[in-house]
Amino acid sequence: MASDQFPYLLFLKMYRSDLQKEATTYIESIPDLTINEKRQFHLIAISFIQFLASQMKQQQVHVEALQYWVRMHQHSLPVEKASHFPKAIEHVLRTVLKTIGHSNTEQILHTHETIMEQSMHSFMHLLEQPLAAIELSTPSFKQLDAFSMELIQLNGTEDLPLVLVKAEEIFQFKRCVFYSYNPWLNEFSGVIGLELPKIQRMQGNIDIEPVFALKKPVFLKEPAPYVQQVAIDLFNLSSVIFIPIEFEQQLYGWISFDQIGEPFDCDNEKLYLLEQAGHRLGMYLARKQLRNHLNHRLQMSEKEFTILYLLAEGYKNKEIAEVLFLSEFTVRDYVQKLMEKLQAKNRTQIISTAFRMGLVE
């Protein structure tokens, strides 16, 4: 027997594309949002509609699932402008319902109002306990200090697998995976972790992957629907944590923690502890000696590094030839050598690989 929420969820599933297009139009018309805020509101609106549509199989929106969605996006809504979000979604719903002349408009709007109230209540509740206000307990401090000591003793990308192993031991998880971030392509890609061939299959644009698009610590008691089903099946994912790796506003990627199929809980202190560990790892990746070590190991000439940086800046072969006073044929040869040294198949992979290895910033 279908629940009272089913007509609402079915409507969202059937008209998801129309709702998303209308959301884009409406958000662009809000005058007091900056360009970046409009982009954030757009991503949140798309994610909200997708999340609700994905709940149709369960025929209702479980409160716990809704709370997890809110937790994922709590840092993306500017508090002083958060009221725009429910207004935007309601406007979008009314517009599409009116356009198609839906026969069950009132019930759908009533269901939506209830769900939106629950969403905003969860959002305001989370604001009462921001991660930044949490104080670490003595055991947590000891874990963070132990992780920092391991980082001090290690150096180089060849040590990153060992860093992840130490993170698993110290923070008591069975699996830790590193995903790198490519700012030129705005993509993530699996790089290091248990069952490497599987991990390297994980890649994509971060704007369509909620756990990466947020660039904030995220704990998911249940990964669906925020993580692709193929990844859940591939890695036997149950509960999982995603932590951004950054230092001085430069994002290097993410690490994920899980217990290989076993569900677990994660309170705010644990999430904050892992966030701090992410900052420490960001400092580790920012070390100059790490980059110098990589440069030396690859034995690149100054000219090759110059061309690598110009490629990363978007220069074409002809433009590189002009600024370096070389022929296009010579530049082409240099690009071919870079492809061989970085084991890349094309220019895009040269840039992606070079970034993951810390060769370019």
Side-chain angles (χ1 to χ4, degrees):
M1 180 178 178
S3 72
D4 293 340
Q5 295 181 352
F6 184 73
Y8 169 70
L9 299 176
L10 178 61
F11 165 73
L12 291 173
K13 186 77 170 181
M14 291 176 62
Y15 297 98
R16 180 175 56 183
S17 178
D18 297 302
L19 292 165
Q20 291 174 343
K21 290 178 182 177
E22 184 61 34
T24 300
T25 302
Y26 180 79
I27 290 169
E28 285 298 319
S29 70
I30 301 176
D32 65 331
L33 294 181
T34 66
I35 293 176
N36 286 336
E37 287 171 344
K38 286 179 180 179
R39 182 175 181 275
Q40 283 299 107
F41 269 84
H42 176 256
L43 289 173
I44 296 170
I46 297 300
S47 175
F48 190 64
I49 293 169
Q50 290 178 337
F51 161 70
L52 292 175
S54 71
Q55 300 297 297
M56 194 192 74
K57 288 184 179 180
Q58 288 78 35
Q59 299 189 5
Q60 63 178 323
V61 181
H62 293 289
V63 175
E64 187 178 59
L66 185 61
Q67 289 174 343
Y68 285 132
W69 183 90
V70 173
R71 177 175 290 180
M72 288 176 60
H73 293 272
Q74 63 175 305
H75 301 290
S76 301
L77 278 175
V79 179
E80 67 278 6
K81 299 180 181 179
S83 60
H84 282 304
F85 178 66
K87 291 178 182 177
I89 299 299
E90 182 180 355
H91 172 85
V92 167
L93 234 65
R94 288 184 178 277
T95 300
V96 175
L97 283 166
K98 183 178 180 180
T99 299
I100 65 176
H102 202 284
S103 60
N104 214 3
T105 294
E106 290 305 316
Q107 181 184 352
I108 288 174
L109 289 174
H110 176 72
T111 303
H112 173 74
E113 182 180 353
T114 300
I115 291 174
M116 185 57 73
E117 284 180 359
Q118 292 174 339
S119 302
M120 296 310 293
H121 175 76
S122 296
F123 173 67
M124 298 308 295
H125 176 71
L126 287 171
L127 287 179
E128 297 173 2
Q129 270 196 318
L131 289 183
I134 293 174
E135 294 185 4
L136 292 178
S137 63
T138 299
S140 293
F141 266 121
K142 288 183 177 179
Q143 286 181 306
L144 190 58
D145 286 344
F147 184 63
S148 298
M149 288 301 297
E150 293 294 344
L151 293 178
I152 290 172
Q153 299 173 48
L154 299 171
N155 189 36
T157 52
E158 71 275 12
D159 283 341
L160 271 177
L162 182 55
V163 169
L164 301 192
V165 170
K166 294 299 182 181
E168 291 169 353
E169 294 175 357
I170 293 169
F171 301 116
Q172 301 176 354
F173 288 95
K174 293 181 179 178
R175 178 168 51 198
C176 182
V177 176
F178 178 76
Y179 300 87
S180 69
Y181 172 56
N182 186 326
W184 295 280
L185 301 177
N186 200 35
E187 292 181 347
F188 71 92
S189 55
V191 179
I192 300 170
L194 191 65
E195 297 182 287
L196 188 58
K198 291 182 179 180
I199 290 170
Q200 291 177 334
R201 291 170 57 183
M202 304 309 301
Q203 54 185 324
N205 189 288
I206 71 168
D207 285 341
I208 59 176
E209 298 290 344
V211 295
F212 296 124
L214 291 175
K215 301 179 183 177
K216 299 290 183 182
V218 174
F219 165 61
L220 302 175
K221 181 75 172 182
E222 297 289 343
Y226 316 105
V227 177
Q228 295 180 17
Q229 189 61 46
V230 62
I232 295 173
D233 296 338
L234 193 63
F235 295 105
N236 186 25
L237 278 183
S238 184
S239 305
V240 61
I241 298 170
F242 291 90
I243 302 293
I245 307 304
E246 55 187 348
F247 180 66
E248 294 184 345
Q249 298 184 331
Q250 180 172 351
L251 178 66
Y252 293 93
W254 298 261
I255 49 175
S256 66
F257 295 94
D258 74 289
Q259 303 290 14
I260 310 184
E262 297 178 11
F264 61 89
D265 292 315
C266 176
D267 58 21
N268 280 349
E269 181 183 350
K270 185 73 170 183
L271 196 61
Y272 181 64
L273 166 64
L274 296 177
E275 180 184 32
Q276 294 307 303
H279 290 323
R280 302 292 197 281
L281 186 52
M283 294 172 63
Y284 169 85
L285 293 176
R287 291 177 186 169
K288 290 184 178 180
Q289 61 265 35
L290 172 59
R291 190 166 295 111
N292 291 338
H293 176 78
L294 289 168
N295 294 351
H296 175 72
R297 183 167 64 87
L298 287 171
Q299 296 181 342
M300 285 190 180
S301 67
E302 181 180 346
K303 189 73 70 178
E304 287 172 332
F305 271 115
T306 301
I307 291 176
L308 176 60
Y309 269 90
L310 290 173
L311 287 175
E313 290 296 324
Y315 281 68
K316 306 298 183 184
N317 283 7
K318 183 178 180 180
E319 296 170 327
I320 295 174
E322 290 174 354
V323 298
L324 296 183
F325 303 102
L326 300 171
S327 71
E328 285 190 58
F329 295 105
T330 301
V331 172
R332 184 186 62 187
D333 289 341
Y334 273 116
V335 172
Q336 184 63 40
K337 289 179 181 177
L338 288 172
M339 289 173 60
E340 292 173 0
K341 289 188 176 184
L342 296 175
Q343 298 181 347
K345 296 180 179 179
N346 51 46
R347 296 163 66 99
T348 299
Q349 285 191 6
I350 288 176
I351 299 170
S352 177
T353 302
F355 176 82
R356 289 202 305 268
M357 297 179 70
L359 296 173
V360 292
E361 296 180 348

